Structures are given as C-alpha cells and as structure tokens.
Amino acid sequence: MDAEIDSLLEDISAYLPSDQRKRKVYVTITYAQSIDGRVAGRRGERTKISGPASSKMTHFLRAKHDAILVGNNTLVIDDPGLNCRYPGCKSSPTPILLDSLFSWGASEKEWNILKNARLGVGQPPYLFTLNTVNLELEPFKQRKTAIEEVGGKVLQLPDMKWPTILSALEDNGIESLMIEGGATVIGSSLEANISDAIIVTIGSNYLGISGVEAAPTAKVALKNVKWASIGDDCILCARQVAAED
Ligand SMILES: NC(=O)C1=CN([C@@H]2O[C@H](COP(=O)(O)OP(=O)(O)OC[C@H]3O[C@@H](n4cnc5c(N)ncnc54)[C@H](O)[C@@H]3O)[C@@H](O)[C@H]2O)C=CC1
Ligand SMILES: Nc1nc(O)c(N)c(N[C@@H]2O[C@H](COP(=O)(O)O)[C@@H](O)[C@H]2O)n1
C-alpha cells in the first residue's frame, strides 16, 4: 500500500495549500461520498466510505492544513476526533465548529474533540456562533466553559456567511482550512465558491436513496481535474471555476 499512497500523495501535491490562493486563507473542500453522491447511509448516521488508503490520504491532508471545519450536525452525529493520525504527524489542525445557535452540548459528555485536546493529541477547538447568543446565560455559559477548559475558544460572529467565517479565521492566524462536512456545509461552501481546491474520495459503494446527499443547489463547474485511484476508491482533485473564469 505504501507505494500506492506515495504515488497518490504525488498526484495531490499540486492541490495542497500554497501561496497561490483566492483569499488569505487557503480553502480545501474535502470529503468522501458513495458512487451515488451520498456522504452518509441515512440522516443521523456516521458511515464509513473511505477505505484504509484513502483514509490515510485524509490524515495526510489534515497534516497539511492549519484548521479543519465541520458543522454542528456532524459534531453531534459523528462525535469526530478531527486530529491528525498520519504517521509522524507532529501537529493536528485546529477544529473549527460552525454552530449558529450554540446547540452543541459541549459540557454534556466527554466529546472526542475535547478529550483529544485535553490529552494533547488534538488541538483545542474554536466554536463559531452568532453574536445574538448570550454566553452569560445557561446552558451556553457551561458549554463555553467546557470548551475553554481544554484551551478552546468561542468566537461570536455577526452572521455565518463564508466571507465572515474566513475573515475570522484570518484574524486568528489560520492560513489554511480543510472543510470536511457535513452535507449542508459542503453544499454551502461549494455555492459560495470559496475554495482553492476540491479533493473528493469516491468510495466503491452505493448508499441508496435514503442516504444523505452533499450537493450545491446549482451547477458547479470544475477545472484542472485530476483523477487517481487508490485501493478500491477513486480520488478527484480539482479547482472550482470562478465566476470571472
Ligand atoms: N462522508 C464524509 O466525508 C462526511 C460525512 N458527514 C456526514 O454528514 C452528515 C451531517 O450533515 P448535515 O446534517 O448536513 O449537517 P452539517 O454537519 O453540514 O451541519 C449543518 C449545520 O451547520 C450550521 N451552519 C453554520 N454555518 C453554516 C454555513 N456557513 N454553511 C452551512 N451550514 C452552516 C447550519 O446551521 C446547520 O445546522 C452526518 O451524517 C455526517 O456523518 C460529515 C462530514 C464528512
Ligand atoms: N474522509 C472521510 N471518509 C469517510 O468515510 C468519512 N466517513 C469521513 N468522515 C469525516 O471524518 C470525520 C471523522 O473524523 P475522526 O476519524 O473521528 O477524526 C467525520 O466527522 C467526518 O467529518 N471522512
């Protein structure tokens, strides 16, 4: 598998964070889908799609980005770790959690992101929420404390639009971001045309019509397309065509 992985990492090298980017933050949209375009088998479910080799690639991508972003449904459904488990990886990306209404019950159980930060095997997260949430009131106060206890931060924004999110990341010294999901976040980030690279794993399975689709509301055109195969999966690397192209 090592030779296959090395060849794949060579193929994706042109799409990794670099100084050539649309904004101050280099954005990679990266996720795994089935052949029929589903990112989960059904709503509320965490589904393994990537095989071992493409999972290894995802962890390589985590090693190459400063931050990794998911929406609040993914947080609750998947309880992800979001750290880098690529062999020899020295630093994990900072988890960025989009949670407009701060509904994530950070203080209600030992979530993997918080556990990883506490154990020093993951970075403390930044949770982005709207500035209309009153952090002095319960349950938000306790949730904020749970995040701050592991070194994380709650950042309040005037809106949850992508330019606002990216500008807050830039203010916090983040220069590269991978957007992992879930379905709604992938769709909205494609619609906003904010990415510098798109790297999608296509697993060799169908998840069926009850599966969760990740798609923008309108057509998205791609350029600089490259396909690679690894294990039983295919990897698409591409760039999104900009409005001015
Ligand atoms: N196969 C894969 O690579 C991945 C699959 N998933 C799957 O995706 C599913 C969850 O997806 P969804 O339910 O769609 O939830 P999601 O994880 O995309 O979160 C959506 C939430 O984020 C909030 N949000 C805040 N700012 C936003 C913005 N700018 N754009 C979009 N949303 C924003 C929305 O209010 C919404 O409540 C789970 O089943 C999870 O397992 C999640 C990540 C990757
Ligand atoms: N690349 C990839 N392949 C799959 O098959 C997946 N289900 C996902 N999901 C994403 O990875 C997160 C889990 O991360 P940890 O392993 O817990 O660190 C999950 O929340 C999705 O964002 N990705």
Side-chain angles (χ1 to χ4, degrees), residues 21 25 28 32 39 47 71 100 117 119 126 134-135 147 166 171 176 184 192 206-207 217 225 242 245:
R21 49 196 183 213
V25 182
T28 307
V39 295
T47 308
S100 318
L119 296 175
Y126 295 174
N134 187 342
L135 298 175
I147 292 170
L166 293 177
D171 292 345
S176 55
T184 310
Y206 293 89
L207 287 172
T217 46
V225 174
D245 281 349

Side-chain angles (χ1 to χ4, degrees), residues 3 5 8 13 35 53 59 62 66 70 72 83 105 108 122 135 138 198-199 205 215 232:
I5 283 273
L8 173 66
S13 60
I35 295 171
H59 283 278
R62 288 183 180 185
D66 293 342
V70 296
N72 62 284
N83 57 353
E108 285 153 29
L135 298 175
E138 294 299 356
I198 297 174
I199 301 180
N205 60 344
D232 290 340

Side-chain angles (χ1 to χ4, degrees), residues 30-32 39 46-51 54-55 58-59 62 68-70 74-75 78-83 85 112 116 180-182 201:
T30 182
Y31 57 97
V39 295
R46 175 174 172 154
T47 308
K48 186 89 195 128
I49 297 168
S50 305
S54 37
S55 290
T58 299
H59 283 278
R62 288 183 180 185
I68 179 167
L69 179 147
V70 296
T74 296
L75 255 186
D78 291 6
D79 186 12
L82 300 186
N83 57 353
R85 305 190 294 276
N112 284 319
N116 285 348
E180 270 216 348
T201 297

Side-chain angles (χ1 to χ4, degrees), residues 209-240:
I209 53 167
S210 309
V212 180
E213 279 176 303
T217 46
K219 286 182 192 169
V220 163
L222 301 179
K223 61 182 183 182
N224 305 116
V225 174
K226 191 165 199 169
W227 287 93
S229 76
I230 181 109
D232 290 340
D233 302 340
C234 265
I235 311 292
L236 165 84
C237 299
R239 299 195 192 279
Q240 193 165 344

Side-chain angles (χ1 to χ4, degrees), residues 125-193:
Y126 295 174
L127 183 135
F128 285 5
T129 192
L130 287 170
N131 61 11
T132 46
V133 173
N134 187 342
L135 298 175
E136 297 303 314
L137 297 181
E138 294 299 356
F140 309 116
K141 198 172 167 182
Q142 252 184 321
R143 291 176 182 171
K144 179 172 177 270
T145 302
I147 292 170
E148 289 174 346
E149 265 171 5
V150 300
K153 297 196 235 187
V154 175
L155 294 146
Q156 293 197 280
L157 303 179
D159 60 63
M160 302 297 280
K161 294 181 183 151
W162 287 103
T164 312
I165 293 164
L166 293 177
S167 152
L169 290 172
E170 188 192 330
D171 292 345
N172 281 276
I174 302 288
E175 293 184 356
S176 55
L177 170 74
M178 56 191 279
I179 297 178
E180 270 216 348
T184 310
V185 165
I186 293 164
S188 92
S189 58
L190 287 167
E191 285 154 26
N193 203 337

